[in-house]
């Protein structure tokens, strides 16, 4: 395979985007970029510094003095915030509950999109998020909008949390996921929505292997085109 393409995977919380994106990137020898991790990292810093999460200006000013790096490692990526590994910390409920408010700011999104586009320049890439097909990589050769029922997504996140000793009740997780989807879909700047030319994939009845296979098949078709 000589040609390399850009693959954009968007969808609501806990649909399986990052799990599948990692597998697809590994199979194709592409880099994987988890854009949600970048929004989580700046949210962690905002919480630590006590800035007003509702202020676009304060959020923008914070970003200017912040360095976020995504380092590819085996099986995924490491997230560095001002040089410190925060890969685990950014998954806490504390950050999860605040991230959609921070990600709604125009100044935050502008800077993140610039960084993401730079990371994807001239290479085979699988990038997952909420606005990748619509704003970050509008020319991506393959766009997938991945979803699953909110019940199934909450169940999956519950199982994942258990392995990390996070014991948030299922019903609370489902509420948090539904609230975040609503905020992400209703914000003014680059809301979560399916790009016109994206393929819709409902992963509710699929295993991880089946969902990855479906996307790899679409990628092969684009690579042959
Ligand atoms: N098709 C699937 N079937 C079962 N579990 C899945 C499937 N896809 C993902 N998962 C699990 O669901 C959880 C959430 O997936 P994740 O990739 O983090 O979602 P997202 O990146 O969309 O938030 C993970 O624990 C993952 O292993
Ligand atoms: N491209 C992106 C990626 C994430 N985000 C924001 O970041 C949050 C966390 O994204 P994530 O992908 O880590 O979330 P999970 O689906 O893994 O829970 C989302 O709920 C959005 O508010 C965004 O606005 N745009």
């Amino acid at each position: 395979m000589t040609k390399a393409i850009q693959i954009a995977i968007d969808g609501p919380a806990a649909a399986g985007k990052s799990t599948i994106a990692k597998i697809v990137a590994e199979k194709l020898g592409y880099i994987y970029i988890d854009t949600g991790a970048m929004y989580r990292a700046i949210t962690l810093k905002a919480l630590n510094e006590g800035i007003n999460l509702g202020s676009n200006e304060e959020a923008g000013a914070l970003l200017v003095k912040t360095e976020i790096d995504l380092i590819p490692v085996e099986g995924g990526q490491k997230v560095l915030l001002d040089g410190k590994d925060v890969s685990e910390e950014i998954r806490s409920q504390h950050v999860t509950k605040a991230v959609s408010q921070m990600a709604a700011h125009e100044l935050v999104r502008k800077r993140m999109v610039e960084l993401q586009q730079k990371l994807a320049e001239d290479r085979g890439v699988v990038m997952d998020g909420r606005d990748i097909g619509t704003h970050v990589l509008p020319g991506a050769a393959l766009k997938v909008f991945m979803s699953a029922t909110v019940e199934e997504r909450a169940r999956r996140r519950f199982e994942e949390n258990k392995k990390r000793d996070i014991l948030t009740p299922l019903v609370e997780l489902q509420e948090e996921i539904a609230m975040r989807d609503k905020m992400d879909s209703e914000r003014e700047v680059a809301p979560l929505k399916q790009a016109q030319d994206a393929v819709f994939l409902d992963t509710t009845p699929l295993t991880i292997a089946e969902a990855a296979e479906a996307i790899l098949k679409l990628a092969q078709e684009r690579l042959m085109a």
Side-chain angles (χ1 to χ4, degrees):
M1 223 180 284
T2 50
K3 200 163 96 176
I5 58 169
Q6 293 180 327
I7 302 177
I9 303 184
D10 290 300
K17 303 180 297 296
S18 55
T19 306
I20 309 302
K22 268 181 227 165
I23 298 172
V24 170
E26 199 182 11
K27 287 253 157 95
L28 295 173
Y30 291 2
I31 61 157
Y32 159 62
I33 300 168
D34 173 2
T35 62
M38 299 168 77
Y39 291 96
R40 285 174 177 274
I42 190 64
T43 303
L44 174 65
K45 181 153 172 178
L47 290 168
N48 286 345
E49 301 218 343
I51 78 143
N52 175 4
L53 293 185
S55 162
N56 182 47
E57 287 68 31
E58 282 193 37
L62 183 71
L63 253 187
V64 173
K65 50 172 189 149
T66 301
E67 202 180 310
I68 297 171
D69 295 299
L70 302 182
I71 314 288
V73 292
E74 208 174 312
Q77 64 172 21
K78 204 158 72 174
V79 186
L80 300 187
L81 174 64
D82 297 324
K84 180 181 167 222
D85 186 351
V86 292
S87 312
E88 276 297 316
E89 216 178 332
I90 58 170
R91 307 281 156 205
S92 70
Q93 273 305 96
H94 184 50
V95 172
T96 300
K97 284 200 162 129
V99 64
S100 290
Q101 190 179 11
M102 195 67 181
H105 296 306
E106 191 171 11
L107 289 174
V108 173
R109 301 206 71 81
K110 189 167 177 290
R111 177 83 186 112
M112 292 298 186
V113 170
E114 283 166 9
L115 284 171
Q116 292 155 7
Q117 288 175 337
K118 206 158 181 49
L119 285 170
E121 234 164 41
D122 303 323
R123 63 214 301 194
V125 63
V126 187
M127 191 181 280
D128 88 282
R130 302 294 187 284
D131 60 340
I132 312 306
T134 52
H135 286 87
V136 182
L137 303 176
L142 173 59
K143 299 179 185 178
V144 177
F145 193 87
M146 189 182 279
S147 196
T149 63
V150 69
E151 292 80 9
E152 174 63 11
R153 290 186 283 123
R155 194 194 62 74
R156 290 177 185 172
R157 189 54 39 99
F158 182 76
E159 293 303 323
E160 179 187 341
N161 282 351
K162 256 201 324 208
K163 287 182 205 142
R164 290 196 173 115
D165 289 329
I166 302 173
L167 299 171
T168 313
L170 183 62
V171 45
E172 199 178 306
L173 273 181
Q174 191 170 319
E175 277 167 19
E176 175 265 302
I177 284 175
M179 171 56 75
R180 203 145 50 92
D181 290 348
K182 183 170 154 58
M183 287 177 74
D184 291 342
S185 309
E186 290 180 355
R187 70 174 172 233
E188 276 177 31
V189 192
L192 165 67
K193 74 168 189 211
Q194 184 173 344
Q196 264 186 349
D197 50 350
V199 178
F200 181 77
L201 184 68
D202 179 4
T203 70
T204 312
L206 303 181
T207 63
I208 291 174
E210 286 168 341
E213 200 42 52
I215 296 187
L216 279 165
K217 190 161 170 275
L218 291 166
Q220 299 297 356
E221 284 168 16
R222 301 301 191 277
L223 282 161
M224 301 293 185

